[in-house]
Amino acid sequence: MTDAEEAIAQAAAAYSNWGRWGADDVLGTLNFVSDAKRVQSATLVRRGACFSLAQRFDTDGPQKGWRRRTNPVHTMTDTGADAALGTQGFPHGFGGADDVIAMPLQCSTQWDGLGHIFDHGKAWNGRPAERTVTSDGDLVTGIETIADRMVGRGVLLDVGRVIGTDGELPDGFAITEEHLTATATAHDVEISTGDIVCVRTGQLARARRDGWGDYAGGPAPGLSFTTAGWLHRTEIAAIATDTWGFEVRPNEFDGAFQPLHQVAIPNMGLFIGEMWDFEALAADCATDGAYEFFLAAPPLPITGAVGSPVNPIAIK
Amino acid sequence: MTDAEEAIAQAAAAYSNWGRWGADDVLGTLNFVSDAKRVQSATLVRRGACFSLAQRFDTDGPQKGWRRRTNPVHTMTDTGADAALGTQGFPHGFGGADDVIAMPLQCSTQWDGLGHIFDHGKAWNGRPAERTVTSDGDLVTGIETIADRMVGRGVLLDVGRVIGTDGELPDGFAITEEHLTATATAHDVEISTGDIVCVRTGQLARARRDGWGDYAGGPAPGLSFTTAGWLHRTEIAAIATDTWGFEVRPNEFDGAFQPLHQVAIPNMGLFIGEMWDFEALAADCATDGAYEFFLAAPPLPITGAVGSPVNPIAIK
Amino acid sequence: MTDAEEAIAQAAAAYSNWGRWGADDVLGTLNFVSDAKRVQSATLVRRGACFSLAQRFDTDGPQKGWRRRTNPVHTMTDTGADAALGTQGFPHGFGGADDVIAMPLQCSTQWDGLGHIFDHGKAWNGRPAERTVTSDGDLVTGIETIADRMVGRGVLLDVGRVIGTDGELPDGFAITEEHLTATATAHDVEISTGDIVCVRTGQLARARRDGWGDYAGGPAPGLSFTTAGWLHRTEIAAIATDTWGFEVRPNEFDGAFQPLHQVAIPNMGLFIGEMWDFEALAADCATDGAYEFFLAAPPLPITGAVGSPVNPIAIK
Amino acid sequence: MTDAEEAIAQAAAAYSNWGRWGADDVLGTLNFVSDAKRVQSATLVRRGACFSLAQRFDTDGPQKGWRRRTNPVHTMTDTGADAALGTQGFPHGFGGADDVIAMPLQCSTQWDGLGHIFDHGKAWNGRPAERTVTSDGDLVTGIETIADRMVGRGVLLDVGRVIGTDGELPDGFAITEEHLTATATAHDVEISTGDIVCVRTGQLARARRDGWGDYAGGPAPGLSFTTAGWLHRTEIAAIATDTWGFEVRPNEFDGAFQPLHQVAIPNMGLFIGEMWDFEALAADCATDGAYEFFLAAPPLPITGAVGSPVNPIAIK
């Protein structure tokens, strides 16, 4: 493909969900998750095995400062050392530790909120970007609006294992609809309306083995721009990957920047998870052959945030 | 009661769980949650109704600076205004918003980790406080160690509604074992091993109506020191309240500071949730009479943290 | 006065310095400080007595969260407790302490940069606000552009002592040109081109005695809107007060917000210091009768900042 | 040299200033700056030329996360874009920009406070480290205690220009007393009691040209451990360099970590400046041959801080 702007415009027109759930909608594709879907997803809890799909939030993360995205800085305001030395001023042998954190909301495992990306000055549902996300935050689609929504059926598509070599796709590998379909077939699982789809590329396993390198923003396997139709047609509620940016990097157009985000977030209203850790879950799925599970991935309801750190929990 | 230190020492001796799960244990009372318990709890998802039990994380919260606990400061590093004005430097009409946060980990709805409180220089399981929680954080029982654990059966004990007036207990009201038992009976629900018990006092409803006042640290209804035996005997996995500090304030001893914490966290290894929001859930429970539910309350796995903000999700 | 917008427009037209120092100017009234002025100001160092004009930066400051302005949060990343306990991992008895801070740049003693205030969408020198200060900061007049400039002759006008009662002006007291002139006469000091004028109202002394109350944003003594002509005509380089907001509050117009700022910063290019502490200096000046001094008040060169914390040093 | 601990112990004994200014002293070598010295230093202001000796504080600095030292994160809470778009809610065309910062206090140009380094559990003047610097900060020698002190005669020793090649010393070059003396002789300047000595190595110029590389903590030119006697004998008030760590790196002992710090800070009570920018000043000194100047380098009085960012101002 050669003309990013034209391709984006065509995809945006073809796959737009603007107005689909009314002019006031703030939930986007989370509208696809019904109460019945949640009840059905709970029946997937068969063994009671839990998996955290979050990376650790710490100072040794992948961030290098681009767009002021640093790794989290966690500091203590009280410690056990002070407590043991008796300098805290509490009575009757009481001691305490307390702590604070400073971090970009997108520094590690996270959800992109609907206010995270704009297309030609428009946010989700066609709202003017400048009236939606100001310096005061996202006044309309802040992540707190989905505080009680991110629960349902999760499906792991381990594309790295099915299509890749030694369980990993190489950087720059564009995952197409055919790859997604072939993986689902290999897993004997079907994608249905309201699913939260987890796409494992294997890049995180590689970064753990070889060092972070350019994990945060550099070349990576990821979804091809051509999957926009699949993302729309399947009526999934959300999609998450084990990479920094969900879509393939370098992007498939010259001089482009995250064109699939531009279609998916402001035009489709699709929720995207990034930097998730599927390693333990994928190993378990490979063992028992069950690639569907109950998934609870509640964002922190930070008022006006355009994204949120998250500890997604998969239960089988 | 008059002598806090002696009372604490007696309760610590009577209700200690040190060594119960081995010398290396970091899970404390979360050991009570079995896989079978999680499978059973999933069967409580009957209607697919979801409730977020988190307060909003924002600058208008209750914190007043005590122990450097401020409200969260959320700021934008990119906004829709810049995007709409075309000053972001991205190609093909792409625009983005990004944000950062600085906050105490205990500023709003949270879990206390096992490294949060010490008793006479000892942390959970008898470890020396100064070797457990240094300026580098909790080196042993950091909240990341329970990343995949905080899932199970939740039970709401709406003590405010059953025992209080107009659904609220007054500040300074000490909730005893008898109150807890009477509430469970009124709800026709039983507490069992591995439960996450949610105690509603109604104080949050009052603060919402009347203003924060001294919600953060001032007088409050809460558990009596005398409930230590009940907390131990019931083998619950965790307990959470809609108040700042879980136990009654002022504390029941002269010159004391959070004596029940001192027994519960370092000696029992009990996980405590604070500043939870049970309002919507409690209204629903009062309507349908079902006070048990599936609960997923995963902390952010911040390496070495002695607590974590959380968005607990209850599903009925 | 009744019509703020009209009054501001008239004052802006009358006292504008746009273009006075060329289209590319970023220094505003700091252009009034010549090298000769600095040499002359150094001759005012007669006794070698130094005065810090900064309040302490700490958690017990006056901020209450308005516009997300909190007090500074200072936390340790290493402490002497850890060092004494030998848990830091350094060789040969070495130990260290380290710390971090999170703070609004205008939380305590500070300089307003030229990008801090806009008038009808225009920044200093007529620049479009949206091209000058984006989410990336002040791209043109960031405080780093005056890193080596804020040095010269300081003059204290202790209006509180000369005009007030017991050294203090009451909240809401509007300081007029007549008050400023009378104070200078009483001090036997003249204001000249390039001076940094320090106006003491006594409000800080009152806040220290009575508690912060609404020091941050509430009623305060301060400069009358009518002093705009004096600020312009005297060709001063900067002006600082011991109050939160420099000008009188409540403002002198109905429904107005900081109208003198709106004239002074974007239209005059005047640098304004706020929350300075003149107490020790004023006592000294009252004793020796010398109200002029050498003043070094260098901002931290934070790239793109619209203000800076500062520790101004007066030397007599 | 081979035995760091023994060498440090000998130097500490030989050059200790413990008790020299009384048991309660918090000023250390700043006691060497007399009022007369300040008066004399002001006479060095001859041309009125000002030089900021600070690096810019921004996200593109040298820090890489070691000891959680990140580069500053500066974010806007209000911007000109919002102001221009009229979304700020202020009356009469008023608009504003505001900002916050989060940063380690030692991330860029800074002073080490006396609580920054300990020797075998002892802080300056022999105080127990654990009673001096707790999680609440430096309770005794916090940087606020020198708020009005860091003013006096500065002397530049451009060792890079005198001893080095093309104005730069190579990484790992240990500056000895002989180098310092030869440089002073070449500059025709004498070091005297109470001076603030500025040692230029040229490493910052190299980092600017070649990229930061390991500027923060890696190999660097710097003072030899053997200069401890000179630092003590000359009775200087402070010393600053254009490097991350003041002393030569790698250190001159096997397995050592900053041994000269360990002698200088807790034992001598010497103030050390790091990451200063002498480039413009050094060029000026080379031109006019005058290597002495008035220097004001006031730290921010952050209560309990063990260091402070600073914008040192040299005036000639």
Side-chain angles (χ1 to χ4, degrees):
Chain A
M1 285 175 272
T2 51
D3 184 337
E5 189 147 21
E6 174 61 19
I8 291 166
Q10 289 184 6
Y15 310 126
S16 170
N17 286 322
W18 289 4
R20 184 168 181 166
W21 298 286
D24 295 334
D25 181 69
V26 297
L27 298 178
T29 52
L30 285 174
N31 284 289
F32 288 128
V33 188
S34 64
D35 285 0
K37 179 84 180 184
R38 286 195 203 97
V39 172
Q40 182 263 331
S41 69
T43 66
L44 302 174
V45 178
R46 289 160 184 152
R47 292 158 37 211
C50 276
F51 303 88
S52 164
L53 308 184
Q55 297 187 30
R56 285 193 180 188
F57 286 70
D58 65 28
T59 193
D60 295 324
Q63 301 297 338
K64 294 183 164 178
W66 181 76
R67 289 182 80 180
R68 284 171 282 172
R69 285 193 191 158
T70 63
N71 293 306
V73 177
H74 169 240
T75 57
M76 305 303 299
T77 47
D78 285 295
T79 70
D82 298 320
L85 291 163
T87 60
Q88 295 189 319
F90 289 117
H92 57 66
F94 182 96
D98 238 34
D99 39 12
V100 303
I101 200 163
M103 64 176 171
L105 294 179
Q106 311 234 347
C107 64
S108 186
T109 306
Q110 104 264 1
W111 280 117
D112 288 352
L114 292 187
H116 179 47
I117 302 293
F118 313 107
D119 180 15
H120 291 89
K122 298 298 180 190
W124 161 239
N125 229 14
R127 298 184 179 97
E130 74 275 13
R131 298 276 159 183
T132 308
V133 186
T134 73
S135 294
D136 285 333
D138 187 329
L139 309 175
V140 183
T141 43
I143 203 77
E144 77 279 8
T145 58
I146 62 160
D148 62 353
R149 291 284 170 155
M150 205 51 97
V151 171
R153 179 186 183 236
V155 176
L156 177 68
L157 297 183
D158 192 344
V159 186
R161 199 169 301 240
V162 173
I163 307 293
T165 302
D166 293 332
E168 298 173 18
L169 301 174
D171 293 339
F173 185 96
I175 299 171
T176 63
E177 179 175 337
E178 289 67 34
H179 295 130
L180 296 170
T181 303
T183 301
T185 300
H187 292 344
D188 194 22
V189 72
E190 286 188 27
I191 304 299
S192 58
T193 295
D195 283 347
I196 302 169
V197 178
C198 299
V199 176
R200 183 186 171 277
T201 70
Q203 196 203 18
L204 179 61
R206 187 159 60 245
R208 289 236 169 93
R209 187 181 61 239
D210 299 342
W212 286 119
D214 289 325
Y215 180 82
L223 268 72
S224 168
F225 184 78
T226 61
T227 60
W230 185 88
L231 293 171
H232 184 259
R233 191 174 62 251
T234 50
E235 298 188 342
I236 60 175
I239 188 165
T241 67
D242 57 350
T243 65
W244 171 82
F246 153 69
E247 57 187 294
V248 63
R249 289 185 64 81
N251 299 139
E252 295 157 293
F253 303 93
D254 289 337
F257 187 73
Q258 302 297 73
L260 187 53
H261 273 74
Q262 196 168 340
V263 173
I265 295 179
N267 289 291
M268 275 189 219
L270 179 65
F271 284 84
I272 298 174
E274 289 160 340
M275 300 181 62
W276 291 33
D277 177 358
F278 299 123
E279 295 310 295
L281 176 65
D284 186 85
C285 293
T287 299
D288 76 355
Y291 283 84
E292 60 178 350
F293 40 87
F294 178 83
L295 181 62
L300 287 185
I302 301 163
T303 308
V306 296
S308 175
V310 65
N311 178 7
I313 298 292
I315 319 178
K316 295 176 66 173
Chain B
M1 285 174 274
T2 52
D3 185 337
E5 190 148 20
E6 174 61 20
I8 291 167
Q10 288 182 5
Y15 310 127
S16 169
N17 286 321
W18 290 4
R20 183 169 183 163
W21 299 286
D24 294 336
D25 181 69
V26 295
L27 298 178
T29 51
L30 285 174
N31 284 290
F32 289 128
V33 189
S34 64
D35 284 0
K37 178 85 180 184
R38 286 195 203 97
V39 172
Q40 184 263 335
S41 70
T43 66
L44 302 173
V45 178
R46 289 160 184 150
R47 292 159 36 212
C50 276
F51 302 88
S52 164
L53 307 184
Q55 296 187 31
R56 286 195 179 186
F57 287 70
D58 66 29
T59 194
D60 295 323
Q63 302 297 338
K64 293 181 165 180
W66 182 76
R67 289 182 82 178
R68 282 170 283 173
R69 286 195 190 157
T70 63
N71 293 305
V73 177
H74 170 240
T75 58
M76 306 302 299
T77 47
D78 287 292
T79 70
D82 298 319
L85 291 163
T87 60
Q88 294 190 318
F90 289 118
H92 56 68
F94 182 97
D98 239 35
D99 40 13
V100 303
I101 201 162
M103 62 175 172
L105 294 179
Q106 310 235 350
C107 64
S108 186
T109 306
Q110 104 264 1
W111 282 117
D112 288 352
L114 293 187
H116 179 47
I117 303 294
F118 313 108
D119 180 14
H120 291 87
K122 299 298 179 189
W124 161 240
N125 229 13
R127 298 185 178 96
E130 74 275 14
R131 298 276 158 182
T132 307
V133 185
T134 73
S135 294
D136 285 334
D138 186 329
L139 309 176
V140 182
T141 43
I143 203 76
E144 77 279 7
T145 59
I146 61 160
D148 63 352
R149 291 282 169 157
M150 205 50 99
V151 171
R153 179 184 183 237
V155 175
L156 177 68
L157 296 184
D158 192 346
V159 185
R161 198 169 301 242
V162 174
I163 307 293
T165 303
D166 294 332
E168 298 173 20
L169 300 174
D171 293 338
F173 185 96
I175 300 171
T176 62
E177 180 175 337
E178 289 67 34
H179 295 130
L180 295 171
T181 302
T183 301
T185 300
H187 293 344
D188 193 23
V189 71
E190 288 187 26
I191 304 298
S192 57
T193 295
D195 281 348
I196 301 169
V197 177
C198 299
V199 176
R200 183 185 172 277
T201 70
Q203 194 202 23
L204 179 60
R206 185 158 62 246
R208 288 238 168 90
R209 186 181 62 240
D210 299 342
W212 286 120
D214 289 325
Y215 179 83
L223 269 72
S224 168
F225 183 78
T226 61
T227 61
W230 184 89
L231 293 172
H232 183 257
R233 190 173 65 250
T234 51
E235 299 189 340
I236 60 175
I239 188 166
T241 67
D242 57 350
T243 65
W244 173 82
F246 153 68
E247 57 187 296
V248 63
R249 289 184 66 80
N251 299 138
E252 296 156 293
F253 301 94
D254 287 339
F257 187 73
Q258 303 296 74
L260 188 53
H261 274 73
Q262 195 168 340
V263 173
I265 295 180
N267 288 292
M268 276 190 220
L270 180 66
F271 284 83
I272 298 174
E274 289 161 339
M275 299 180 64
W276 291 34
D277 177 359
F278 299 123
E279 295 311 294
L281 175 65
D284 187 85
C285 293
T287 299
D288 77 355
Y291 283 83
E292 60 178 349
F293 39 86
F294 178 84
L295 180 61
L300 285 186
I302 300 164
T303 308
V306 296
S308 175
V310 64
N311 178 5
I313 298 291
I315 319 178
K316 295 175 66 174
Chain C
M1 283 176 273
T2 53
D3 185 337
E5 188 148 22
E6 175 61 20
I8 291 167
Q10 288 183 7
Y15 310 127
S16 170
N17 285 322
W18 288 5
R20 184 170 182 163
W21 299 287
D24 294 336
D25 180 69
V26 296
L27 299 178
T29 52
L30 285 175
N31 284 289
F32 288 129
V33 189
S34 64
D35 285 359
K37 179 84 181 184
R38 287 197 202 94
V39 172
Q40 185 263 333
S41 69
T43 66
L44 302 174
V45 178
R46 289 161 184 151
R47 293 159 36 212
C50 276
F51 302 88
S52 165
L53 308 184
Q55 297 186 32
R56 286 196 178 184
F57 287 70
D58 65 29
T59 193
D60 295 324
Q63 302 297 337
K64 293 182 165 180
W66 183 77
R67 288 181 82 179
R68 283 170 283 173
R69 286 192 190 160
T70 63
N71 293 305
V73 177
H74 170 239
T75 57
M76 306 303 298
T77 46
D78 286 295
T79 70
D82 298 319
L85 291 163
T87 60
Q88 295 189 318
F90 290 119
H92 55 69
F94 181 97
D98 239 36
D99 40 13
V100 303
I101 201 163
M103 64 176 171
L105 294 178
Q106 311 234 348
C107 63
S108 185
T109 307
Q110 103 263 1
W111 282 118
D112 287 352
L114 292 187
H116 179 47
I117 303 293
F118 314 107
D119 180 14
H120 291 88
K122 298 298 180 188
W124 161 242
N125 230 10
R127 296 185 180 97
E130 75 275 15
R131 298 277 159 183
T132 307
V133 186
T134 73
S135 293
D136 285 332
D138 186 330
L139 309 175
V140 182
T141 43
I143 203 79
E144 76 280 7
T145 60
I146 62 159
D148 62 354
R149 293 283 169 158
M150 204 51 97
V151 172
R153 178 184 184 239
V155 176
L156 177 68
L157 296 184
D158 191 345
V159 185
R161 198 168 302 240
V162 174
I163 307 294
T165 302
D166 294 332
E168 298 173 19
L169 301 174
D171 293 338
F173 185 95
I175 300 171
T176 64
E177 179 175 338
E178 290 67 34
H179 295 132
L180 295 171
T181 303
T183 302
T185 300
H187 293 344
D188 193 23
V189 70
E190 288 188 24
I191 304 299
S192 59
T193 295
D195 282 348
I196 301 168
V197 178
C198 298
V199 176
R200 182 184 171 280
T201 69
Q203 194 202 22
L204 179 60
R206 186 159 62 245
R208 288 237 169 92
R209 187 181 61 239
D210 299 342
W212 285 119
D214 288 326
Y215 179 82
L223 270 73
S224 168
F225 183 79
T226 61
T227 60
W230 184 88
L231 293 171
H232 184 257
R233 190 172 66 251
T234 50
E235 298 188 342
I236 60 174
I239 187 165
T241 67
D242 57 351
T243 64
W244 172 82
F246 153 68
E247 58 186 295
V248 63
R249 290 183 64 79
N251 299 139
E252 295 157 292
F253 302 94
D254 288 338
F257 187 73
Q258 303 296 74
L260 188 53
H261 273 73
Q262 196 169 339
V263 174
I265 295 180
N267 287 292
M268 277 190 217
L270 179 66
F271 284 84
I272 298 174
E274 289 161 340
M275 299 181 64
W276 292 33
D277 177 358
F278 300 124
E279 294 312 294
L281 175 66
D284 186 85
C285 293
T287 299
D288 77 355
Y291 282 83
E292 60 178 351
F293 41 86
F294 177 83
L295 181 62
L300 286 186
I302 300 163
T303 308
V306 297
S308 175
V310 64
N311 178 5
I313 298 291
I315 319 178
K316 296 177 65 174
Chain D
M1 284 175 273
T2 52
D3 185 337
E5 189 148 22
E6 173 61 20
I8 291 167
Q10 289 183 5
Y15 310 128
S16 170
N17 285 321
W18 288 5
R20 183 169 182 164
W21 298 288
D24 294 336
D25 181 70
V26 296
L27 299 178
T29 53
L30 285 174
N31 284 291
F32 290 128
V33 189
S34 64
D35 284 0
K37 178 84 181 182
R38 286 196 202 95
V39 172
Q40 183 262 335
S41 70
T43 67
L44 302 174
V45 178
R46 289 161 183 150
R47 292 158 37 210
C50 277
F51 302 89
S52 164
L53 307 185
Q55 296 186 32
R56 287 194 179 186
F57 287 69
D58 66 28
T59 193
D60 295 323
Q63 302 297 338
K64 293 182 166 181
W66 182 76
R67 289 181 81 180
R68 284 171 281 173
R69 287 195 190 156
T70 63
N71 293 305
V73 176
H74 170 239
T75 58
M76 306 302 299
T77 46
D78 285 295
T79 70
D82 298 319
L85 291 163
T87 60
Q88 295 189 317
F90 290 118
H92 56 68
F94 182 96
D98 239 36
D99 39 13
V100 302
I101 200 162
M103 62 176 171
L105 295 178
Q106 310 235 348
C107 64
S108 186
T109 306
Q110 103 263 2
W111 281 119
D112 286 352
L114 293 187
H116 179 47
I117 302 294
F118 313 107
D119 180 15
H120 291 88
K122 298 297 179 189
W124 162 239
N125 229 13
R127 297 184 180 97
E130 75 275 15
R131 298 276 158 183
T132 308
V133 186
T134 73
S135 294
D136 284 333
D138 187 330
L139 308 176
V140 182
T141 44
I143 203 78
E144 76 280 7
T145 58
I146 62 160
D148 63 353
R149 292 283 168 157
M150 205 51 97
V151 172
R153 179 184 182 239
V155 175
L156 177 68
L157 296 184
D158 191 345
V159 185
R161 199 169 301 241
V162 173
I163 307 294
T165 303
D166 294 332
E168 298 174 18
L169 300 175
D171 293 338
F173 185 95
I175 300 171
T176 63
E177 179 175 338
E178 290 68 35
H179 295 131
L180 295 170
T181 303
T183 301
T185 300
H187 292 344
D188 194 22
V189 71
E190 287 188 24
I191 303 300
S192 58
T193 294
D195 282 347
I196 301 168
V197 178
C198 299
V199 176
R200 183 186 171 277
T201 69
Q203 194 202 22
L204 179 61
R206 185 159 62 246
R208 289 237 169 91
R209 187 181 61 238
D210 299 343
W212 286 120
D214 289 325
Y215 179 82
L223 269 73
S224 168
F225 183 79
T226 61
T227 61
W230 184 88
L231 293 171
H232 184 257
R233 190 173 64 250
T234 50
E235 298 188 342
I236 60 174
I239 188 165
T241 67
D242 58 349
T243 64
W244 172 82
F246 154 69
E247 57 186 295
V248 62
R249 288 184 65 81
N251 300 138
E252 296 157 292
F253 302 93
D254 287 338
F257 187 73
Q258 304 295 74
L260 187 54
H261 274 73
Q262 196 169 338
V263 173
I265 295 180
N267 288 292
M268 278 190 217
L270 180 66
F271 284 84
I272 298 174
E274 289 161 338
M275 300 181 61
W276 290 34
D277 177 358
F278 300 123
E279 295 312 294
L281 175 65
D284 187 84
C285 293
T287 300
D288 78 355
Y291 282 83
E292 59 177 352
F293 41 86
F294 177 84
L295 181 62
L300 286 185
I302 301 163
T303 308
V306 297
S308 176
V310 63
N311 178 8
I313 297 291
I315 319 179
K316 295 176 64 174

